Amino acid sequence: MSIVKINALSVPAEQRSVLEQRFAARAGSVESSDGFEWFELLRPVEGTDQYLVYTRWRSEADFQAWMEGPMKAAHQGGAQGGGERPKPAASASQVWSFEVVQQTAPKQG
C-alpha cells in the first residue's frame, strides 16, 4: 500500500498568508511526479500554529526520487533575478512518515 508523508510546519500568525501564497504559486509542481497520489495543505483552526502538508505516494522510493529531483531543485532555486532567497515562512519543520495499512472511500450510489 501507499506511504504518507506529513510535514508539520510551525508558522507564526504573520507568516500564514505568505506560506499559503507560496504553496498556491507552486500548484502543479508535484502532480506529475511518478508515484504521487495526493496532496493537501491543512491550515490550523485552533490550538496550534502548525500547518500540515499531507502527501501520499505509491512507495518510499517514489517519494525519495521526488525529494532528490524536483523538490530539491525547487528549494535550491532561490529568488528569481539573482536576488536573495526569500525568508522561510515556517519557523520549524518536522516530517512524519506513515504506511497506509487500511483505507476506505465513500460508498457509491
Side-chain angles (χ1 to χ4, degrees):
M1 283 213 159
S2 304
I3 61 137
V4 169
K5 299 293 182 172
I6 298 174
N7 191 356
L9 302 171
S10 296
V11 182
E14 66 275 8
Q15 291 293 313
R16 286 181 168 198
S17 64
V18 171
L19 179 86
E20 291 179 22
Q21 289 170 5
R22 288 181 184 169
F23 270 94
R26 63 180 209 90
S29 64
V30 71
E31 287 90 328
S32 60
S33 297
D34 192 39
F36 171 78
E37 296 179 351
W38 199 260
F39 163 85
E40 291 178 327
L41 176 62
L42 306 176
R43 176 192 303 138
V45 176
E46 61 182 312
T48 184
D49 67 349
Q50 288 192 317
Y51 275 73
L52 300 181
V53 182
Y54 173 99
T55 58
R56 190 172 69 204
W57 298 85
R58 177 179 53 209
S59 69
E60 180 68 27
D62 290 322
F63 171 75
Q64 291 301 327
W66 175 73
M67 286 289 291
E68 290 302 315
M71 205 319 231
K72 188 174 186 177
H75 280 85
Q76 289 179 343
Q80 299 297 322
E84 283 189 30
R85 188 170 178 199
K87 178 184 169 210
S91 61
S93 173
Q94 183 179 18
V95 176
W96 304 329
S97 299
F98 299 89
E99 291 179 327
V100 176
V101 293
Q102 292 184 24
Q103 65 184 22
T104 190
K107 291 185 178 185
Q108 301 297 320

